[in-house]
mmCIF file of all heavy atoms in Angstrom:
data_model
loop_
_atom_site.group_PDB
_atom_site.id
_atom_site.type_symbol
_atom_site.label_atom_id
_atom_site.label_comp_id
_atom_site.label_asym_id
_atom_site.label_seq_id
_atom_site.Cartn_x
_atom_site.Cartn_y
_atom_site.Cartn_z
ATOM 1 N N LEU A 54 -189.202 -212.729 58.973
ATOM 2 C CA LEU A 54 -189.623 -214.105 58.727
ATOM 3 C C LEU A 54 -188.581 -214.847 57.895
ATOM 4 O O LEU A 54 -188.253 -216.002 58.183
ATOM 5 C CB LEU A 54 -190.983 -214.118 58.021
ATOM 6 C CG LEU A 54 -191.654 -215.464 57.857
ATOM 7 C CD1 LEU A 54 -191.927 -216.098 59.212
ATOM 8 C CD2 LEU A 54 -192.945 -215.307 57.082
ATOM 9 N N ALA A 55 -188.027 -214.186 56.886
ATOM 10 C CA ALA A 55 -186.973 -214.805 56.070
ATOM 11 C C ALA A 55 -185.720 -215.055 56.905
ATOM 12 O O ALA A 55 -185.088 -216.112 56.779
ATOM 13 C CB ALA A 55 -186.641 -213.899 54.886
ATOM 14 N N ILE A 56 -185.375 -214.116 57.768
ATOM 15 C CA ILE A 56 -184.218 -214.298 58.650
ATOM 16 C C ILE A 56 -184.464 -215.481 59.570
ATOM 17 O O ILE A 56 -183.572 -216.308 59.792
ATOM 18 C CB ILE A 56 -183.941 -213.013 59.454
ATOM 19 C CG1 ILE A 56 -183.441 -211.907 58.535
ATOM 20 C CG2 ILE A 56 -182.936 -213.268 60.563
ATOM 21 C CD1 ILE A 56 -183.386 -210.539 59.183
ATOM 22 N N SER A 57 -185.671 -215.595 60.092
ATOM 23 C CA SER A 57 -186.012 -216.700 60.984
ATOM 24 C C SER A 57 -185.863 -218.042 60.290
ATOM 25 O O SER A 57 -185.297 -218.981 60.847
ATOM 26 C CB SER A 57 -187.445 -216.533 61.490
ATOM 27 O OG SER A 57 -187.858 -217.661 62.219
ATOM 28 N N LYS A 58 -186.356 -218.125 59.056
ATOM 29 C CA LYS A 58 -186.315 -219.393 58.330
ATOM 30 C C LYS A 58 -184.922 -219.759 57.861
ATOM 31 O O LYS A 58 -184.484 -220.902 58.009
ATOM 32 C CB LYS A 58 -187.258 -219.331 57.130
ATOM 33 C CG LYS A 58 -188.709 -219.358 57.513
ATOM 34 C CD LYS A 58 -189.589 -219.300 56.283
ATOM 35 C CE LYS A 58 -191.051 -219.352 56.668
ATOM 36 N NZ LYS A 58 -191.917 -219.276 55.490
ATOM 37 N N LYS A 59 -184.201 -218.807 57.297
ATOM 38 C CA LYS A 59 -182.919 -219.127 56.672
ATOM 39 C C LYS A 59 -181.750 -219.128 57.660
ATOM 40 O O LYS A 59 -180.769 -219.825 57.436
ATOM 41 C CB LYS A 59 -182.647 -218.163 55.528
ATOM 42 C CG LYS A 59 -183.634 -218.340 54.391
ATOM 43 C CD LYS A 59 -183.381 -217.403 53.251
ATOM 44 C CE LYS A 59 -184.435 -217.591 52.165
ATOM 45 N NZ LYS A 59 -184.299 -216.606 51.098
ATOM 46 N N ALA A 60 -181.851 -218.340 58.737
ATOM 47 C CA ALA A 60 -180.772 -218.314 59.731
ATOM 48 C C ALA A 60 -181.106 -219.187 60.935
ATOM 49 O O ALA A 60 -180.334 -219.257 61.878
ATOM 50 C CB ALA A 60 -180.509 -216.885 60.183
ATOM 51 N N HIS A 61 -182.278 -219.837 60.908
ATOM 52 C CA HIS A 61 -182.716 -220.752 61.955
ATOM 53 C C HIS A 61 -182.793 -220.075 63.322
ATOM 54 O O HIS A 61 -182.313 -220.610 64.324
ATOM 55 C CB HIS A 61 -181.812 -221.982 62.007
ATOM 56 C CG HIS A 61 -181.679 -222.659 60.690
ATOM 57 N ND1 HIS A 61 -182.713 -223.335 60.083
ATOM 58 C CD2 HIS A 61 -180.641 -222.733 59.824
ATOM 59 C CE1 HIS A 61 -182.320 -223.813 58.921
ATOM 60 N NE2 HIS A 61 -181.067 -223.458 58.725
ATOM 61 N N ILE A 62 -183.413 -218.897 63.338
ATOM 62 C CA ILE A 62 -183.658 -218.197 64.598
ATOM 63 C C ILE A 62 -185.109 -218.457 64.972
ATOM 64 O O ILE A 62 -186.008 -218.198 64.176
ATOM 65 C CB ILE A 62 -183.433 -216.676 64.451
ATOM 66 C CG1 ILE A 62 -182.004 -216.389 64.022
ATOM 67 C CG2 ILE A 62 -183.746 -215.965 65.760
ATOM 68 C CD1 ILE A 62 -181.742 -214.919 63.750
ATOM 69 N N PRO A 63 -185.352 -218.972 66.173
ATOM 70 C CA PRO A 63 -186.744 -219.210 66.576
ATOM 71 C C PRO A 63 -187.545 -217.907 66.607
ATOM 72 O O PRO A 63 -187.049 -216.862 67.019
ATOM 73 C CB PRO A 63 -186.622 -219.795 67.985
ATOM 74 C CG PRO A 63 -185.218 -220.288 68.085
ATOM 75 C CD PRO A 63 -184.399 -219.431 67.176
ATOM 76 N N VAL A 64 -188.786 -217.986 66.175
ATOM 77 C CA VAL A 64 -189.655 -216.809 66.134
ATOM 78 C C VAL A 64 -189.857 -216.255 67.537
ATOM 79 O O VAL A 64 -189.977 -215.046 67.723
ATOM 80 C CB VAL A 64 -191.011 -217.167 65.473
ATOM 81 C CG1 VAL A 64 -191.969 -216.000 65.519
ATOM 82 C CG2 VAL A 64 -190.799 -217.617 64.052
ATOM 83 N N GLU A 65 -189.850 -217.115 68.546
ATOM 84 C CA GLU A 65 -190.034 -216.671 69.918
ATOM 85 C C GLU A 65 -188.914 -215.721 70.342
ATOM 86 O O GLU A 65 -189.152 -214.754 71.071
ATOM 87 C CB GLU A 65 -190.082 -217.864 70.876
ATOM 88 C CG GLU A 65 -191.322 -218.719 70.714
ATOM 89 C CD GLU A 65 -191.226 -219.682 69.533
ATOM 90 O OE1 GLU A 65 -190.105 -219.995 69.087
ATOM 91 O OE2 GLU A 65 -192.288 -220.095 69.034
ATOM 92 N N GLU A 66 -187.688 -216.004 69.905
ATOM 93 C CA GLU A 66 -186.567 -215.115 70.233
ATOM 94 C C GLU A 66 -186.720 -213.760 69.553
ATOM 95 O O GLU A 66 -186.372 -212.733 70.126
ATOM 96 C CB GLU A 66 -185.238 -215.756 69.836
ATOM 97 C CG GLU A 66 -184.792 -216.830 70.793
ATOM 98 C CD GLU A 66 -183.358 -217.235 70.537
ATOM 99 O OE1 GLU A 66 -182.500 -216.346 70.379
ATOM 100 O OE2 GLU A 66 -183.115 -218.447 70.499
ATOM 101 N N ILE A 67 -187.223 -213.770 68.340
ATOM 102 C CA ILE A 67 -187.444 -212.509 67.626
ATOM 103 C C ILE A 67 -188.525 -211.703 68.335
ATOM 104 O O ILE A 67 -188.391 -210.496 68.518
ATOM 105 C CB ILE A 67 -187.803 -212.772 66.150
ATOM 106 C CG1 ILE A 67 -186.601 -213.389 65.430
ATOM 107 C CG2 ILE A 67 -188.243 -211.487 65.465
ATOM 108 C CD1 ILE A 67 -186.868 -213.836 64.013
ATOM 109 N N ARG A 68 -189.572 -212.369 68.758
ATOM 110 C CA ARG A 68 -190.636 -211.671 69.491
ATOM 111 C C ARG A 68 -190.108 -211.066 70.778
ATOM 112 O O ARG A 68 -190.458 -209.940 71.140
ATOM 113 C CB ARG A 68 -191.773 -212.633 69.796
ATOM 114 C CG ARG A 68 -192.592 -212.977 68.607
ATOM 115 C CD ARG A 68 -193.762 -213.849 68.994
ATOM 116 N NE ARG A 68 -194.432 -214.311 67.798
ATOM 117 C CZ ARG A 68 -194.883 -215.553 67.641
ATOM 118 N NH1 ARG A 68 -194.764 -216.428 68.603
ATOM 119 N NH2 ARG A 68 -195.462 -215.890 66.509
ATOM 120 N N LEU A 69 -189.288 -211.821 71.510
ATOM 121 C CA LEU A 69 -188.739 -211.314 72.774
ATOM 122 C C LEU A 69 -187.821 -210.108 72.554
ATOM 123 O O LEU A 69 -187.695 -209.264 73.438
ATOM 124 C CB LEU A 69 -187.976 -212.425 73.499
ATOM 125 C CG LEU A 69 -188.841 -213.503 74.138
ATOM 126 C CD1 LEU A 69 -187.961 -214.608 74.708
ATOM 127 C CD2 LEU A 69 -189.726 -212.915 75.213
ATOM 128 N N ALA A 70 -187.194 -210.037 71.390
ATOM 129 C CA ALA A 70 -186.311 -208.906 71.105
ATOM 130 C C ALA A 70 -187.086 -207.593 70.991
ATOM 131 O O ALA A 70 -186.528 -206.524 71.193
ATOM 132 C CB ALA A 70 -185.519 -209.153 69.826
ATOM 133 N N PHE A 71 -188.374 -207.690 70.680
ATOM 134 C CA PHE A 71 -189.176 -206.477 70.530
ATOM 135 C C PHE A 71 -189.938 -206.114 71.797
ATOM 136 O O PHE A 71 -190.530 -205.060 71.877
ATOM 137 C CB PHE A 71 -190.147 -206.619 69.349
ATOM 138 C CG PHE A 71 -189.428 -206.556 68.039
ATOM 139 C CD1 PHE A 71 -189.151 -207.706 67.345
ATOM 140 C CD2 PHE A 71 -189.017 -205.356 67.531
ATOM 141 C CE1 PHE A 71 -188.480 -207.668 66.134
ATOM 142 C CE2 PHE A 71 -188.344 -205.280 66.323
ATOM 143 C CZ PHE A 71 -188.067 -206.448 65.625
ATOM 144 N N LEU A 72 -189.930 -207.000 72.780
ATOM 145 C CA LEU A 72 -190.579 -206.688 74.055
ATOM 146 C C LEU A 72 -189.580 -206.020 74.976
ATOM 147 O O LEU A 72 -188.427 -206.399 75.026
ATOM 148 C CB LEU A 72 -191.114 -207.962 74.710
ATOM 149 C CG LEU A 72 -192.197 -208.703 73.935
ATOM 150 C CD1 LEU A 72 -192.545 -209.999 74.656
ATOM 151 C CD2 LEU A 72 -193.423 -207.843 73.781
ATOM 152 N N TRP A 73 -190.004 -205.044 75.715
ATOM 153 C CA TRP A 73 -189.088 -204.352 76.633
ATOM 154 C C TRP A 73 -189.147 -204.974 77.950
ATOM 155 O O TRP A 73 -189.484 -205.284 78.787
ATOM 156 C CB TRP A 73 -189.429 -202.875 76.707
ATOM 157 C CG TRP A 73 -189.098 -202.186 75.436
ATOM 158 C CD1 TRP A 73 -189.921 -201.975 74.385
ATOM 159 C CD2 TRP A 73 -187.839 -201.650 75.038
ATOM 160 N NE1 TRP A 73 -189.270 -201.349 73.384
ATOM 161 C CE2 TRP A 73 -187.986 -201.127 73.761
ATOM 162 C CE3 TRP A 73 -186.605 -201.562 75.661
ATOM 163 C CZ2 TRP A 73 -186.956 -200.516 73.085
ATOM 164 C CZ3 TRP A 73 -185.584 -200.961 74.982
ATOM 165 C CH2 TRP A 73 -185.758 -200.441 73.709
#
Side-chain angles (χ1 to χ4, degrees):
L54 188 61
I56 291 169
S57 173
K58 288 180 179 179
K59 294 180 182 174
H61 307 291
I62 300 175
V64 175
E65 291 80 22
E66 284 192 46
I67 294 174
R68 287 184 188 138
L69 287 175
F71 288 101
L72 297 176
W73 290 93

